PDB file of all heavy atoms in Angstrom:
ATOM      1  N   GLY M  25       0.894  -1.174   0.033  1.00 98.00           N
ATOM      2  CA  GLY M  25       0.003   0.010   0.021  1.00 98.00           C
ATOM      3  C   GLY M  25       0.895   1.305  -0.004  1.00 98.00           C
ATOM      4  O   GLY M  25       0.559   2.223  -0.643  1.00 98.00           O
ATOM      5  N   ASN M  26       1.924   1.271   0.764  1.00 98.00           N
ATOM      6  CA  ASN M  26       2.784   2.392   0.819  1.00 98.00           C
ATOM      7  C   ASN M  26       3.520   2.659  -0.546  1.00 98.00           C
ATOM      8  O   ASN M  26       3.673   3.762  -0.972  1.00 98.00           O
ATOM      9  CB  ASN M  26       3.866   2.235   1.924  1.00 98.00           C
ATOM     10  CG  ASN M  26       3.386   2.774   3.269  1.00 98.00           C
ATOM     11  OD1 ASN M  26       3.111   4.026   3.370  1.00 98.00           O
ATOM     12  ND2 ASN M  26       3.284   1.960   4.281  1.00 98.00           N
ATOM     13  N   MET M  27       3.890   1.500  -1.190  1.00 98.00           N
ATOM     14  CA  MET M  27       4.483   1.646  -2.527  1.00 98.00           C
ATOM     15  C   MET M  27       3.513   2.241  -3.521  1.00 98.00           C
ATOM     16  O   MET M  27       3.836   2.967  -4.382  1.00 98.00           O
ATOM     17  CB  MET M  27       5.046   0.309  -2.969  1.00 98.00           C
ATOM     18  CG  MET M  27       6.190  -0.244  -2.222  1.00 98.00           C
ATOM     19  SD  MET M  27       7.617   0.979  -2.233  1.00 98.00           S
ATOM     20  CE  MET M  27       8.050   0.887  -3.949  1.00 98.00           C
ATOM     21  N   PHE M  28       2.270   1.767  -3.397  1.00 98.00           N
ATOM     22  CA  PHE M  28       1.228   2.386  -4.259  1.00 98.00           C
ATOM     23  C   PHE M  28       1.165   3.914  -4.028  1.00 98.00           C
ATOM     24  O   PHE M  28       1.163   4.746  -4.996  1.00 98.00           O
ATOM     25  CB  PHE M  28      -0.168   1.789  -3.963  1.00 98.00           C
ATOM     26  CG  PHE M  28      -0.363   0.492  -4.577  1.00 98.00           C
ATOM     27  CD1 PHE M  28      -1.218  -0.489  -3.923  1.00 98.00           C
ATOM     28  CD2 PHE M  28       0.170   0.100  -5.776  1.00 98.00           C
ATOM     29  CE1 PHE M  28      -1.449  -1.723  -4.440  1.00 98.00           C
ATOM     30  CE2 PHE M  28      -0.091  -1.195  -6.326  1.00 98.00           C
ATOM     31  CZ  PHE M  28      -0.901  -2.030  -5.724  1.00 98.00           C
ATOM     32  N   ALA M  29       1.009   4.394  -2.748  1.00 98.00           N
ATOM     33  CA  ALA M  29       0.941   5.750  -2.446  1.00 98.00           C
ATOM     34  C   ALA M  29       2.134   6.516  -2.950  1.00 98.00           C
ATOM     35  O   ALA M  29       2.032   7.631  -3.445  1.00 98.00           O
ATOM     36  CB  ALA M  29       0.720   5.928  -0.917  1.00 98.00           C
ATOM     37  N   MET M  30       3.351   5.951  -2.689  1.00 98.00           N
ATOM     38  CA  MET M  30       4.564   6.619  -3.202  1.00 98.00           C
ATOM     39  C   MET M  30       4.553   6.841  -4.730  1.00 98.00           C
ATOM     40  O   MET M  30       4.848   7.811  -5.226  1.00 98.00           O
ATOM     41  CB  MET M  30       5.778   5.856  -2.753  1.00 98.00           C
ATOM     42  CG  MET M  30       7.138   6.396  -3.020  1.00 98.00           C
ATOM     43  SD  MET M  30       8.530   5.433  -2.591  1.00 98.00           S
ATOM     44  CE  MET M  30       8.717   4.419  -4.101  1.00 98.00           C
ATOM     45  N   SER M  31       4.234   5.698  -5.409  1.00 98.00           N
ATOM     46  CA  SER M  31       4.199   5.725  -6.880  1.00 98.00           C
ATOM     47  C   SER M  31       3.095   6.721  -7.363  1.00 98.00           C
ATOM     48  O   SER M  31       3.208   7.279  -8.394  1.00 98.00           O
ATOM     49  CB  SER M  31       3.995   4.361  -7.438  1.00 98.00           C
ATOM     50  OG  SER M  31       2.760   3.816  -7.077  1.00 98.00           O
ATOM     51  N   MET M  32       1.950   6.885  -6.624  1.00 98.00           N
ATOM     52  CA  MET M  32       0.976   7.729  -7.045  1.00 98.00           C
ATOM     53  C   MET M  32       1.453   9.239  -6.907  1.00 98.00           C
ATOM     54  O   MET M  32       1.255  10.042  -7.781  1.00 98.00           O
ATOM     55  CB  MET M  32      -0.265   7.655  -6.157  1.00 98.00           C
ATOM     56  CG  MET M  32      -1.090   6.333  -6.483  1.00 98.00           C
ATOM     57  SD  MET M  32      -2.320   5.979  -5.198  1.00 98.00           S
ATOM     58  CE  MET M  32      -2.931   4.371  -5.784  1.00 98.00           C
ATOM     59  N   GLU M  33       2.175   9.572  -5.816  1.00 98.00           N
ATOM     60  CA  GLU M  33       2.781  10.889  -5.674  1.00 98.00           C
ATOM     61  C   GLU M  33       3.867  11.028  -6.749  1.00 98.00           C
ATOM     62  O   GLU M  33       3.988  12.176  -7.305  1.00 98.00           O
ATOM     63  CB  GLU M  33       3.281  11.120  -4.267  1.00 98.00           C
ATOM     64  CG  GLU M  33       3.816  12.494  -4.032  1.00 98.00           C
ATOM     65  CD  GLU M  33       4.309  12.771  -2.647  1.00 98.00           C
ATOM     66  OE1 GLU M  33       3.945  11.949  -1.706  1.00 98.00           O
ATOM     67  OE2 GLU M  33       4.954  13.797  -2.437  1.00 98.00           O
ATOM     68  N   MET M  34       4.658  10.040  -6.955  1.00 98.00           N
ATOM     69  CA  MET M  34       5.710  10.092  -8.068  1.00 98.00           C
ATOM     70  C   MET M  34       5.053  10.394  -9.422  1.00 98.00           C
ATOM     71  O   MET M  34       5.603  11.184 -10.215  1.00 98.00           O
ATOM     72  CB  MET M  34       6.516   8.785  -8.069  1.00 98.00           C
ATOM     73  CG  MET M  34       7.482   8.647  -6.942  1.00 98.00           C
ATOM     74  SD  MET M  34       8.465   7.148  -7.153  1.00 98.00           S
ATOM     75  CE  MET M  34       9.761   7.326  -5.974  1.00 98.00           C
ATOM     76  N   SER M  35       3.973   9.718  -9.685  1.00 98.00           N
ATOM     77  CA  SER M  35       3.319   9.929 -10.929  1.00 98.00           C
ATOM     78  C   SER M  35       2.798  11.360 -11.090  1.00 98.00           C
ATOM     79  O   SER M  35       3.055  12.031 -12.108  1.00 98.00           O
ATOM     80  CB  SER M  35       2.103   8.974 -11.114  1.00 98.00           C
ATOM     81  OG  SER M  35       2.550   7.651 -11.151  1.00 98.00           O
ATOM     82  N   GLU M  36       2.207  11.859 -10.002  1.00 98.00           N
ATOM     83  CA  GLU M  36       1.783  13.258  -9.969  1.00 98.00           C
ATOM     84  C   GLU M  36       2.922  14.224 -10.139  1.00 98.00           C
ATOM     85  O   GLU M  36       2.754  15.279 -10.890  1.00 98.00           O
ATOM     86  CB  GLU M  36       1.043  13.479  -8.647  1.00 98.00           C
ATOM     87  CG  GLU M  36       0.421  14.892  -8.498  1.00 98.00           C
ATOM     88  CD  GLU M  36      -0.328  14.973  -7.203  1.00 98.00           C
ATOM     89  OE1 GLU M  36       0.337  14.856  -6.166  1.00 98.00           O
ATOM     90  OE2 GLU M  36      -1.545  15.193  -7.230  1.00 98.00           O
ATOM     91  N   LYS M  37       4.141  13.904  -9.663  1.00 98.00           N
ATOM     92  CA  LYS M  37       5.243  14.908  -9.830  1.00 98.00           C
ATOM     93  C   LYS M  37       6.050  14.598 -11.078  1.00 98.00           C
ATOM     94  O   LYS M  37       6.976  15.367 -11.268  1.00 98.00           O
ATOM     95  CB  LYS M  37       6.099  14.749  -8.535  1.00 98.00           C
ATOM     96  CG  LYS M  37       5.508  15.203  -7.247  1.00 98.00           C
ATOM     97  CD  LYS M  37       6.309  15.146  -6.068  1.00 98.00           C
ATOM     98  CE  LYS M  37       5.707  15.817  -4.829  1.00 98.00           C
ATOM     99  NZ  LYS M  37       6.619  15.699  -3.622  1.00 98.00           N
ATOM    100  N   GLY M  38       5.697  13.604 -11.854  1.00 98.00           N
ATOM    101  CA  GLY M  38       6.407  13.401 -13.079  1.00 98.00           C
ATOM    102  C   GLY M  38       7.660  12.577 -12.966  1.00 98.00           C
ATOM    103  O   GLY M  38       8.402  12.391 -13.876  1.00 98.00           O
ATOM    104  N   TYR M  39       7.880  11.934 -11.795  1.00 98.00           N
ATOM    105  CA  TYR M  39       9.064  11.129 -11.566  1.00 98.00           C
ATOM    106  C   TYR M  39       9.059   9.831 -12.387  1.00 98.00           C
ATOM    107  O   TYR M  39      10.084   9.238 -12.699  1.00 98.00           O
ATOM    108  CB  TYR M  39       9.259  10.789 -10.114  1.00 98.00           C
ATOM    109  CG  TYR M  39       9.522  11.897  -9.184  1.00 98.00           C
ATOM    110  CD1 TYR M  39       9.261  11.795  -7.848  1.00 98.00           C
ATOM    111  CD2 TYR M  39       9.962  13.121  -9.639  1.00 98.00           C
ATOM    112  CE1 TYR M  39       9.573  12.874  -6.934  1.00 98.00           C
ATOM    113  CE2 TYR M  39      10.210  14.188  -8.744  1.00 98.00           C
ATOM    114  CZ  TYR M  39      10.011  14.108  -7.415  1.00 98.00           C
ATOM    115  OH  TYR M  39      10.276  15.096  -6.553  1.00 98.00           O
ATOM    116  N   LEU M  40       7.899   9.401 -12.741  1.00 98.00           N
ATOM    117  CA  LEU M  40       7.729   8.091 -13.466  1.00 98.00           C
ATOM    118  C   LEU M  40       7.504   8.266 -14.911  1.00 98.00           C
ATOM    119  O   LEU M  40       7.096   7.296 -15.605  1.00 98.00           O
ATOM    120  CB  LEU M  40       6.582   7.237 -12.781  1.00 98.00           C
ATOM    121  CG  LEU M  40       6.720   6.902 -11.335  1.00 98.00           C
ATOM    122  CD1 LEU M  40       5.654   5.956 -10.909  1.00 98.00           C
ATOM    123  CD2 LEU M  40       8.126   6.393 -10.903  1.00 98.00           C
ATOM    124  N   ASP M  41       7.784   9.414 -15.458  1.00 97.00           N
ATOM    125  CA  ASP M  41       7.531   9.653 -16.846  1.00 97.00           C
ATOM    126  C   ASP M  41       8.336   8.696 -17.739  1.00 97.00           C
ATOM    127  O   ASP M  41       7.980   8.456 -18.887  1.00 97.00           O
ATOM    128  CB  ASP M  41       7.839  11.086 -17.236  1.00 97.00           C
ATOM    129  CG  ASP M  41       6.838  12.051 -16.774  1.00 97.00           C
ATOM    130  OD1 ASP M  41       5.793  11.594 -16.182  1.00 97.00           O
ATOM    131  OD2 ASP M  41       7.085  13.293 -16.764  1.00 97.00           O
ATOM    132  N   GLY M  42       9.463   8.268 -17.314  1.00 94.00           N
ATOM    133  CA  GLY M  42      10.353   7.318 -18.041  1.00 94.00           C
ATOM    134  C   GLY M  42       9.890   5.847 -18.061  1.00 94.00           C
ATOM    135  O   GLY M  42      10.443   5.115 -18.861  1.00 94.00           O
ATOM    136  N   LEU M  43       8.900   5.531 -17.240  1.00 96.00           N
ATOM    137  CA  LEU M  43       8.375   4.142 -17.213  1.00 96.00           C
ATOM    138  C   LEU M  43       7.220   3.999 -18.168  1.00 96.00           C
ATOM    139  O   LEU M  43       6.662   4.969 -18.588  1.00 96.00           O
ATOM    140  CB  LEU M  43       7.866   3.802 -15.794  1.00 96.00           C
ATOM    141  CG  LEU M  43       8.925   3.822 -14.676  1.00 96.00           C
ATOM    142  CD1 LEU M  43       8.311   3.304 -13.314  1.00 96.00           C
ATOM    143  CD2 LEU M  43      10.123   2.940 -15.041  1.00 96.00           C
ATOM    144  N   ASP M  44       6.873   2.700 -18.345  1.00 92.00           N
ATOM    145  CA  ASP M  44       5.794   2.369 -19.381  1.00 92.00           C
ATOM    146  C   ASP M  44       4.416   2.583 -18.794  1.00 92.00           C
ATOM    147  O   ASP M  44       3.435   2.495 -19.452  1.00 92.00           O
ATOM    148  CB  ASP M  44       6.022   0.988 -19.943  1.00 92.00           C
ATOM    149  CG  ASP M  44       5.872  -0.080 -18.844  1.00 92.00           C
ATOM    150  OD1 ASP M  44       5.710   0.298 -17.612  1.00 92.00           O
ATOM    151  OD2 ASP M  44       5.706  -1.270 -19.142  1.00 92.00           O
ATOM    152  N   ASP M  45       4.372   2.860 -17.493  1.00 96.00           N
ATOM    153  CA  ASP M  45       3.075   2.961 -16.852  1.00 96.00           C
ATOM    154  C   ASP M  45       3.185   3.862 -15.608  1.00 96.00           C
ATOM    155  O   ASP M  45       4.320   4.017 -15.046  1.00 96.00           O
ATOM    156  CB  ASP M  45       2.596   1.539 -16.436  1.00 96.00           C
ATOM    157  CG  ASP M  45       1.086   1.499 -16.159  1.00 96.00           C
ATOM    158  OD1 ASP M  45       0.382   2.602 -16.338  1.00 96.00           O
ATOM    159  OD2 ASP M  45       0.585   0.479 -15.615  1.00 96.00           O
ATOM    160  N   GLN M  46       1.998   4.464 -15.220  1.00 97.00           N
ATOM    161  CA  GLN M  46       1.930   5.234 -14.050  1.00 97.00           C
ATOM    162  C   GLN M  46       0.656   4.928 -13.370  1.00 97.00           C
ATOM    163  O   GLN M  46      -0.055   4.059 -13.842  1.00 97.00           O
ATOM    164  CB  GLN M  46       2.143   6.704 -14.338  1.00 97.00           C
ATOM    165  CG  GLN M  46       3.445   7.103 -14.970  1.00 97.00           C
ATOM    166  CD  GLN M  46       3.745   8.553 -15.167  1.00 97.00           C
ATOM    167  OE1 GLN M  46       3.391   9.362 -14.238  1.00 97.00           O
ATOM    168  NE2 GLN M  46       4.258   9.020 -16.313  1.00 97.00           N
ATOM    169  N   ILE M  47       0.377   5.578 -12.214  1.00 98.00           N
ATOM    170  CA  ILE M  47      -0.832   5.319 -11.529  1.00 98.00           C
ATOM    171  C   ILE M  47      -1.338   6.465 -10.796  1.00 98.00           C
ATOM    172  O   ILE M  47      -0.655   7.290 -10.202  1.00 98.00           O
ATOM    173  CB  ILE M  47      -0.605   4.119 -10.446  1.00 98.00           C
ATOM    174  CG1 ILE M  47      -2.005   3.790  -9.833  1.00 98.00           C
ATOM    175  CG2 ILE M  47       0.490   4.412  -9.481  1.00 98.00           C
ATOM    176  CD1 ILE M  47      -1.907   2.455  -9.000  1.00 98.00           C
ATOM    177  N   ASP M  48      -2.717   6.754 -10.950  1.00 98.00           N
ATOM    178  CA  ASP M  48      -3.355   7.874 -10.438  1.00 98.00           C
ATOM    179  C   ASP M  48      -3.830   7.566  -8.925  1.00 98.00           C
ATOM    180  O   ASP M  48      -4.011   6.456  -8.585  1.00 98.00           O
ATOM    181  CB  ASP M  48      -4.611   8.237 -11.227  1.00 98.00           C
ATOM    182  CG  ASP M  48      -4.169   8.736 -12.642  1.00 98.00           C
ATOM    183  OD1 ASP M  48      -3.155   9.250 -12.786  1.00 98.00           O
ATOM    184  OD2 ASP M  48      -4.988   8.476 -13.579  1.00 98.00           O
ATOM    185  N   TRP M  49      -4.035   8.665  -8.182  1.00 98.00           N
ATOM    186  CA  TRP M  49      -4.474   8.526  -6.796  1.00 98.00           C
ATOM    187  C   TRP M  49      -5.790   7.752  -6.811  1.00 98.00           C
ATOM    188  O   TRP M  49      -6.710   8.003  -7.563  1.00 98.00           O
ATOM    189  CB  TRP M  49      -4.724   9.887  -6.203  1.00 98.00           C
ATOM    190  CG  TRP M  49      -3.437  10.650  -5.828  1.00 98.00           C
ATOM    191  CD1 TRP M  49      -3.002  11.712  -6.532  1.00 98.00           C
ATOM    192  CD2 TRP M  49      -2.520  10.282  -4.795  1.00 98.00           C
ATOM    193  NE1 TRP M  49      -1.769  12.112  -5.856  1.00 98.00           N
ATOM    194  CE2 TRP M  49      -1.436  11.210  -4.844  1.00 98.00           C
ATOM    195  CE3 TRP M  49      -2.515   9.326  -3.840  1.00 98.00           C
ATOM    196  CZ2 TRP M  49      -0.490  11.233  -3.953  1.00 98.00           C
ATOM    197  CZ3 TRP M  49      -1.427   9.236  -2.883  1.00 98.00           C
ATOM    198  CH2 TRP M  49      -0.411  10.214  -3.010  1.00 98.00           C
ATOM    199  N   GLY M  50      -5.913   6.802  -5.934  1.00 97.00           N
ATOM    200  CA  GLY M  50      -7.166   6.131  -5.653  1.00 97.00           C
ATOM    201  C   GLY M  50      -7.637   5.221  -6.733  1.00 97.00           C
ATOM    202  O   GLY M  50      -8.848   4.761  -6.750  1.00 97.00           O
ATOM    203  N   ASP M  51      -6.791   4.805  -7.689  1.00 98.00           N
ATOM    204  CA  ASP M  51      -7.182   3.938  -8.865  1.00 98.00           C
ATOM    205  C   ASP M  51      -7.108   2.554  -8.402  1.00 98.00           C
ATOM    206  O   ASP M  51      -6.225   1.778  -8.647  1.00 98.00           O
ATOM    207  CB  ASP M  51      -6.301   4.260 -10.053  1.00 98.00           C
ATOM    208  CG  ASP M  51      -6.711   3.513 -11.296  1.00 98.00           C
ATOM    209  OD1 ASP M  51      -7.659   2.639 -11.219  1.00 98.00           O
ATOM    210  OD2 ASP M  51      -6.113   3.704 -12.326  1.00 98.00           O
ATOM    211  N   GLU M  52      -8.240   2.070  -7.750  1.00 97.00           N
ATOM    212  CA  GLU M  52      -8.304   0.736  -7.162  1.00 97.00           C
ATOM    213  C   GLU M  52      -8.236  -0.382  -8.276  1.00 97.00           C
ATOM    214  O   GLU M  52      -7.704  -1.412  -7.965  1.00 97.00           O
ATOM    215  CB  GLU M  52      -9.452   0.542  -6.233  1.00 97.00           C
ATOM    216  CG  GLU M  52     -10.780   0.498  -6.833  1.00 97.00           C
ATOM    217  CD  GLU M  52     -11.504   1.846  -6.902  1.00 97.00           C
ATOM    218  OE1 GLU M  52     -10.753   2.876  -6.672  1.00 97.00           O
ATOM    219  OE2 GLU M  52     -12.653   1.895  -7.034  1.00 97.00           O
ATOM    220  N   GLU M  53      -8.769  -0.066  -9.380  1.00 97.00           N
ATOM    221  CA  GLU M  53      -8.696  -1.070 -10.429  1.00 97.00           C
ATOM    222  C   GLU M  53      -7.293  -1.320 -10.899  1.00 97.00           C
ATOM    223  O   GLU M  53      -6.859  -2.519 -11.063  1.00 97.00           O
ATOM    224  CB  GLU M  53      -9.566  -0.537 -11.701  1.00 97.00           C
ATOM    225  CG  GLU M  53     -11.013  -0.292 -11.407  1.00 97.00           C
ATOM    226  CD  GLU M  53     -11.782  -1.611 -11.370  1.00 97.00           C
ATOM    227  OE1 GLU M  53     -11.353  -2.658 -11.818  1.00 97.00           O
ATOM    228  OE2 GLU M  53     -12.922  -1.594 -10.801  1.00 97.00           O
ATOM    229  N   HIS M  54      -6.547  -0.247 -11.060  1.00 98.00           N
ATOM    230  CA  HIS M  54      -5.143  -0.488 -11.462  1.00 98.00           C
ATOM    231  C   HIS M  54      -4.300  -1.129 -10.308  1.00 98.00           C
ATOM    232  O   HIS M  54      -3.468  -1.968 -10.529  1.00 98.00           O
ATOM    233  CB  HIS M  54      -4.519   0.949 -11.724  1.00 98.00           C
ATOM    234  CG  HIS M  54      -3.289   0.900 -12.531  1.00 98.00           C
ATOM    235  ND1 HIS M  54      -2.610   2.031 -13.079  1.00 98.00           N
ATOM    236  CD2 HIS M  54      -2.501  -0.201 -12.953  1.00 98.00           C
ATOM    237  CE1 HIS M  54      -1.585   1.694 -13.701  1.00 98.00           C
ATOM    238  NE2 HIS M  54      -1.460   0.361 -13.665  1.00 98.00           N
ATOM    239  N   MET M  55      -4.670  -0.793  -9.029  1.00 98.00           N
ATOM    240  CA  MET M  55      -3.918  -1.374  -7.854  1.00 98.00           C
ATOM    241  C   MET M  55      -4.129  -2.891  -7.853  1.00 98.00           C
ATOM    242  O   MET M  55      -3.201  -3.656  -7.580  1.00 98.00           O
ATOM    243  CB  MET M  55      -4.526  -0.725  -6.593  1.00 98.00           C
ATOM    244  CG  MET M  55      -4.068   0.813  -6.419  1.00 98.00           C
ATOM    245  SD  MET M  55      -5.093   1.594  -5.221  1.00 98.00           S
ATOM    246  CE  MET M  55      -4.382   0.963  -3.716  1.00 98.00           C
TER     247      MET M  55
END
């Protein structure tokens, strides 16, 4: 769960732009 939350904030800040996928806040389907 913490890794999800971290990656959600990273996605929001653009840190994961180099990966093939990102994740939005609260996207339980993706989780």
